[in-house]
Structure formats: structure tokens, C-alpha cells
């Protein structure tokens, strides 16, 4: 059964007696699907969820979603007057944390760039993620890995490198991050 309503959605993640996946409503919000029960909507993201990951303690979900549309943009969408200029009108993504006990989400990383591939540290205090300038395929060569300290909201680039950096993965003790990287002359 296609739980996400699309083969392009992120993988389903387990949660014991239920699974969590983008909702199958055509608008990819997060939903929790108890085995043998009805789906429970978890997020109210107006722009849809493009990727997510459970915190190690299972109490939060970090997810990636484009910024919410403004009232003017929503009106234009309703009126079918929402044309976008190619390579100019980018829908930049943000990093959010959803608290599962209250179902309240807070935006924790914003900016005019694309956020992707969030990864919780084993102790749940930090999130490593990738940043690219735009969604253009060629801009992937400028990808960097950043780390968010959840409690303070402080973010920073993990290290300087002219080539692309991505796929951050924490070591089991949380002291190191493995990163897929290339030098600048190998980036293009």
C-alpha cells in the first residue's frame, strides 16, 4: 500500500505499533498511522513536508518544509495566478521541530537557502543538516553541512570546503559526524 500517495516521498519510519509517513492527501503533511487504525495528522504545515526524522527519544520529529505561503500567495494560488519564474522564484525550505506531546511545531532554521537531510545527534541535543543555495541541480556543488544546537537555536557550518558536502551521519557516541565530501576541482 502506498502510504505517502507518491513514490517520491521520504521513507516510512517505524514507531512500534504505528508508522509515521507523509499523509496520503496530496498535500504531504506528517501523519501517524496506527496499525489497524485511522491516520492521525501530526503537522499543520501549509506548504507540505519534504523530509523528516524522529528524535532519538521519540518525543520530537525534525522535518523539512518550504516556508508557509503568505496570505497574498495563498490568494494567488486560489485564483490560479501563482506562476513562478524559472530560476528566480525559489521555494526555500526550512527546518522545523514538532513536539509530539503538544503537536506544536517551531521553525528552527530559516533563510534564503535549501535545508535538507536532518539528522539528530544520538543525545538529541543537536541536528546536522545540509544547506544549498537554491533548489537548482547545479547548486548542489555548493552544499554545506551545518549543525543546529536545539536548546539555544545556534547554527553553524561544520567546516569550510569549496566542494560539496552532504549526507551528515553522527557517530554512535555523538562526538563525530561522517560527511560525504569532494574538493572544489572535483565538484563540477
Amino acid at each position: 500500500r502506498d502510504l505517502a500517495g507518491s513514490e517520491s516521498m521520504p521513507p516510512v519510519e517505524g514507531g512500534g505499533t504505528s508508522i509515521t509517513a507523509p499523509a496520503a492527501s496530496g498535500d504531504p503533511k506528517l501523519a501517524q498511522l496506527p496499525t489497524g487504525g485511522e491516520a492521525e495528522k501530526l503537522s499543520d504545515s501549509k506548504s507540505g513536508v519534504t523530509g523528516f526524522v524522529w528524535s532519538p527519544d521519540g518525543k520530537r520529529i525534525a522535518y523539512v518544509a518550504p516556508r508557509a505561503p503568505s496570505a497574498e500567495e495563498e490568494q494567488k494560488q486560489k485564483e490560479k495566478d501563482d506562476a513562478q519564474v524559472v530560476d528566480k522564484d525559489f521555494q526555500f525550505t526550512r527546518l522545523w521541530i514538532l513536539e509530539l506531546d503538544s503537536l506544536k511545531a517551531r521553525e528552527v532554521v530559516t533563510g534564503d537557502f535549501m535545508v535538507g537531510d536532518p539528522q539528530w545527534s544520538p543525545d538529541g541535543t543537536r541536528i546536522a543538516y545540509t544547506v544549498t543555495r537554491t533548489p537548482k541541480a547545479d547548486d548542489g556543488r555548493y552544499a554545506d553541512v551545518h549543525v543546529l544546537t536545539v536548546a539555544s537555536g545556534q547554527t553553524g557550518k561544520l567546516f569550510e570546503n569549496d566542494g560539496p558536502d552532504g549526507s551528515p551521519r553522527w557517530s554512535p557516541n555523538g562526538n563525530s559526524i561522517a560527511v560525504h565530501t569532494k574538493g572544489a576541482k572535483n565538484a563540477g
Side-chain angles (χ1 to χ4, degrees):
R1 180 173 155 207
D2 181 10
L3 297 172
S6 166
E7 291 180 17
S8 66
M9 297 309 304
V12 171
E13 297 216 6
T17 60
S18 66
I19 53 177
T20 303
S25 65
D27 184 14
K29 294 178 172 68
L30 287 178
Q32 189 151 7
L33 306 162
T35 52
E38 291 295 316
E40 172 192 358
K41 183 177 75 165
L42 297 178
S43 73
D44 269 334
S45 174
K46 288 185 177 185
S47 56
V49 172
T50 62
F52 69 97
V53 63
W54 283 88
S55 65
D57 64 7
K59 296 179 179 180
R60 298 170 289 177
I61 295 176
Y63 69 90
V64 176
R67 70 165 175 76
S70 67
E72 180 182 343
E73 290 168 331
E74 283 184 341
Q75 185 62 35
K76 284 186 174 195
Q77 287 173 353
K78 286 179 185 175
E79 296 171 357
K80 307 280 190 231
D81 182 26
D82 58 344
Q84 292 183 341
V85 178
V86 175
D87 289 345
K88 288 196 181 213
D89 295 335
F90 299 118
Q91 289 291 328
F92 295 111
T93 54
R94 313 290 175 84
L95 182 61
W96 297 74
I97 295 177
L98 174 68
E99 302 289 340
L100 291 172
D101 60 350
S102 66
L103 296 184
K104 299 285 185 208
R106 58 189 166 99
E107 199 173 33
V108 293
V109 174
T110 66
D112 288 341
F113 47 79
M114 303 298 294
V115 173
D117 197 14
Q119 299 291 320
W120 288 93
S121 62
D123 64 3
T125 62
R126 296 166 290 164
I127 300 173
Y129 58 95
T130 59
V131 169
T132 55
R133 296 177 184 182
T134 71
K136 292 169 38 178
D138 286 347
D139 283 350
R141 66 181 144 184
Y142 303 111
D144 291 305
V145 173
H146 290 240
V147 176
L148 164 74
T149 301
V150 176
S152 69
Q154 287 188 305
T155 64
K157 191 185 296 187
L158 185 59
F159 64 96
E160 286 294 329
N161 179 36
D162 290 335
D165 309 313
S167 304
R169 298 298 181 264
W170 292 91
S171 64
N173 66 7
N175 290 336
S176 302
I177 301 175
V179 174
H180 183 263
T181 187
K182 290 182 182 180
K185 72 179 193 177
N186 298 318

